[in-house]
Amino acid sequence: MKSAVETLNPTRVRLTVEVPFEELKDSLDAAYKKINQQVTVKGFRKGKIPARVIDQRFGRGAVLEEAVNDALPKFYTEAVNEAELNVLGQPEVDITELKDNETLNFTAEVDVRPTIEIPDYSGIEVEVDAVEIADEDVDKAVEELRERFASTSPVERAAEDGDVVTIDLEAKVEGEVLEDGVASGVSYTIGSGELLEGIDEAVKGLEAGAEATFTSELKGGSAAGKESEVTVKVTQVAKRELPELDDDFAQLASEFDTLDELKADSRKRLETARQFDQATQAQERVLEKLLELVEVPVPEKLLEDEIRTRKHNLEHHQLGQMGLDLAKYLEIQGKTEEEFDAETREQAVKGIKTQFVLDELVNKEKLNVNQEELTEHLMRRAQSSGMSPDQFAQAVVEGGQVPMLVGEVARGKALAVVVEAATVKDTNGEVVDLDDEDEAAAESTEAAEAPAEAAAEATEDEPKA
C-alpha cells in the first residue's frame, strides 16, 4: 500500500491511497465466507458454495463491494498512522479506481487537530474580585439560618405579607380545568415569589375559607406559557415566628454555644466560599487571556457538530425538563433566534479552542493523571450528577467514557499550571495566592470547555465505500 497526504487547510487533509489487489485477499476471502453464510444454492451445502458459483449467481461486483467495505477501515487506519495524523471525526471516502485483480485507489478527506504553538504564558496578568466580608454579609447569613428555624402558628385573621397560607389551587385554560392544574394543601409563604405571578395579591386579605380568582401565565406543566384563570382557596392562615437571636438560637441551629461563635463561623464560611469563587474567577480570566495569545484554527465540521449538540441538549434535555420550548426560552431571555445562534456559536468556538489548547499544554508539560486524581474527579462528577460514585463509575465504564474523564482531569491540571505562572491580583491591588484552591481549576475547566465528544467518538467510526 502507498499513501500520500495533501493539506487542504490547517484543519483538513486529503489522503490518497493506492492498494495492490493482492492485499485485498483476506478481505475477499472474508467476503466469500460471509456471502456463503447468507445465501443458498441448490446442490451445495450452506457455507460450501464455491467462489466461482457465487460469482456466477450473485456477481463478482457484490463480492468486491463487500471486500472493499471490509478492507477500507484497515487501509485508512494504516495511512493515518503512517502519516502520524491526529484525525477528528469520520472521513469522507471516495473510491477513485477499482479494477478487479489489479488495484484499489481511494481518497479520504478528514479533519485533523491543528498544529498549535503555545507561547510564553508567564506574563499573563488578571484582576479578580477581592475577598471582603462585611458585617452585613454575616448578618444576612445568620438571618437566612434564622428563617430556616422559623415556626408557624395558625391565626384567625386575614392573610398578610410573610404569613404562611395553606391553599387549594385550580387552573383553567379556555374554561377547561387542566388535569395537572389542581392541587390541594399547598403551603405558601406570601411574598416568597415561589408560585404563580399574581398569587400574592390574590391571597392577601383573605381569611381561612375565602377564595379568589386571578389570571397568570403558567410556568410549567401541560399548559406551560399559557394564560390561565386560577382559583385559589385559603384553608389556613399561619403566622411565622422567628427565634430570638441569642445564645439559645446558636445552640439550636449549630454546634456552637454562643451567638458570637456562630457569627464567627458564618464569616469563615463566607470567606471560604468567596475564596473559591475568586479562584474560579481567576482560572476563567487566565484561560481567556491564554486563548487570546494562541492562534487556534477550528475545523468547520467539528464546530457545526458541536453547535448541533449544544442545541439538541438545550432543547431536548434542559428545556424539556422545565416544560419550555426554544421559542418560549428565547422570549424569557429577551433574545432573538439570531442572537441565540451567534451566542451558541461563540461558546462552541471557545469550547473547542479551550480543549485544543489545554490538550497541547498537557503534551508540552508532560502531565499525567494518576488513579487518585481520577477517583477524586469521578467523585465530584458523581455528586454533581446526582448519582452514587459506584453508579456513575459503572456508567462511565459501560459508556467507554474513561478516556474522556482522564482528559478532563489532565486539562484541569494544564490550566492550573498556567494559573500558577500568571500574576493574579485582586481589586485592592493585592497578589492572590491560589495554592489552596487547586480543585477549582478542574471544575471551572469543565464549565469553560465544551469537548466535542461526538466528534471524538466519531474518530472510531469506520469509513464505508
Side-chain angles (χ1 to χ4, degrees), residues 218-221 224 314 317-325 329 332:
L218 298 178
K219 295 181 179 179
L314 176 66
H317 297 292
Q318 296 163 271
L319 297 183
Q321 292 175 355
M322 295 187 289
L324 299 175
D325 58 17
Y329 168 76
I332 293 171

Side-chain angles (χ1 to χ4, degrees), residues 151-265:
S151 60
T152 59
S153 56
V155 292
E156 294 184 4
R157 59 165 173 77
E160 302 173 355
D161 271 327
D163 285 344
V164 178
V165 290
T166 304
I167 54 178
D168 298 336
L169 294 166
E170 181 184 82
K172 293 181 180 179
V173 172
E174 298 179 353
E176 296 291 330
V177 178
L178 300 172
E179 289 186 10
D180 56 355
V182 178
S184 300
V186 177
S187 181
Y188 175 66
T189 301
I190 300 176
S192 66
E194 294 174 351
L195 280 178
L196 299 168
E197 185 176 344
I199 195 169
D200 289 337
E201 293 76 8
V203 297
K204 276 192 294 187
L206 297 184
E207 297 183 9
E211 65 179 48
T213 300
F214 64 101
T215 301
S216 182
E217 183 179 297
L218 298 178
K219 295 181 179 179
S222 61
K226 293 185 177 180
E227 286 292 320
S228 172
E229 183 182 86
V230 183
T231 299
V232 55
K233 180 178 180 179
V234 176
T235 60
Q236 179 180 279
V237 178
K239 180 181 179 181
R240 296 178 77 250
E241 297 178 346
L242 299 175
E244 292 293 328
L245 275 178
D246 53 23
D247 292 346
D248 289 339
F249 168 69
Q251 294 166 22
L252 170 68
S254 70
E255 70 271 28
F256 301 107
D257 294 327
T258 68
L259 183 60
D260 287 342
E261 290 174 326
L262 173 59
K263 287 186 174 181
D265 181 69

Side-chain angles (χ1 to χ4, degrees), residues 169-436:
L169 294 166
E170 181 184 82
K172 293 181 180 179
V173 172
E174 298 179 353
E176 296 291 330
V177 178
L178 300 172
E179 289 186 10
D180 56 355
V182 178
S184 300
V186 177
S187 181
Y188 175 66
T189 301
I190 300 176
S192 66
E194 294 174 351
L195 280 178
L196 299 168
E197 185 176 344
I199 195 169
D200 289 337
E201 293 76 8
V203 297
K204 276 192 294 187
L206 297 184
E207 297 183 9
E211 65 179 48
T213 300
F214 64 101
T215 301
S216 182
E217 183 179 297
L218 298 178
K219 295 181 179 179
S222 61
K226 293 185 177 180
E227 286 292 320
S228 172
E229 183 182 86
V230 183
T231 299
V232 55
K233 180 178 180 179
V234 176
T235 60
Q236 179 180 279
V237 178
K239 180 181 179 181
R240 296 178 77 250
E241 297 178 346
L242 299 175
E244 292 293 328
L245 275 178
D246 53 23
D247 292 346
D248 289 339
F249 168 69
Q251 294 166 22
L252 170 68
S254 70
E255 70 271 28
F256 301 107
D257 294 327
T258 68
L259 183 60
D260 287 342
E261 290 174 326
L262 173 59
K263 287 186 174 181
D265 181 69
S266 296
R267 183 179 294 275
K268 183 178 179 181
R269 289 175 182 271
L270 287 171
E271 286 177 349
T272 300
R274 297 275 177 87
Q275 286 169 352
F276 185 87
D277 291 343
Q278 186 186 62
T280 302
Q281 190 180 68
Q283 289 141 12
E284 291 172 350
R285 293 182 179 180
V286 167
L287 177 60
E288 288 174 0
K289 290 281 189 178
L290 177 63
L291 293 180
E292 290 174 6
L293 294 176
V294 187
E295 184 68 30
V296 186
V298 175
E300 192 60 33
K301 186 175 185 304
L302 180 65
L303 176 58
E304 295 306 320
D305 288 343
E306 179 64 16
I307 292 172
R308 186 161 48 249
T309 298
R310 284 171 178 262
K311 286 185 175 180
H312 181 274
N313 288 341
L314 176 66
E315 291 189 61
H316 296 87
H317 297 292
Q318 296 163 271
L319 297 183
Q321 292 175 355
M322 295 187 289
L324 299 175
D325 58 17
L326 182 59
K328 189 61 183 177
Y329 168 76
L330 293 179
E331 181 183 332
I332 293 171
Q333 294 291 315
K335 297 176 183 176
T336 65
E337 189 169 346
E338 291 74 18
E339 289 172 335
F340 169 75
D341 288 342
E343 186 178 278
T344 303
R345 186 178 187 86
E346 181 181 349
Q347 292 170 347
V349 168
K350 182 180 178 182
I352 293 171
K353 286 185 175 182
T354 296
Q355 181 171 336
F356 284 171
V357 171
L358 294 184
D359 282 346
E360 185 62 31
L361 268 168
V362 169
N363 295 329
K364 180 179 179 179
E365 302 293 344
K366 296 181 173 57
L367 300 176
N368 296 310
V369 176
N370 59 42
Q371 186 60 48
E372 182 180 356
E373 292 168 333
L374 183 60
T375 300
E376 288 177 357
H377 181 66
L378 187 147
M379 297 283 281
R380 288 197 300 270
R381 287 290 302 272
Q383 185 177 19
S384 64
S385 71
M387 302 169 67
S388 72
D390 288 343
Q391 289 174 324
F392 187 79
Q394 182 178 352
V396 166
V397 172
E398 290 178 353
Q401 300 298 304
V402 174
M404 183 189 75
L405 284 190
V406 172
E408 289 175 355
V409 178
R411 286 189 283 274
K413 294 179 71 172
L415 180 56
V417 169
V418 183
V419 172
E420 184 179 355
T423 300
V424 181
K425 293 183 179 180
D426 65 21
T427 48
N428 293 329
E430 299 292 328
V431 175
V432 178
D433 184 2
L434 299 171
D435 288 346
D436 295 331

Side-chain angles (χ1 to χ4, degrees), residues 30-46:
Y32 279 116
K33 185 175 181 180
K34 182 176 180 179
I35 294 173
N36 242 307
Q37 299 300 320
Q38 295 174 337
V39 301
T40 57
V41 175
K42 188 176 180 179
F44 296 97
R45 285 182 298 163
K46 196 173 186 66

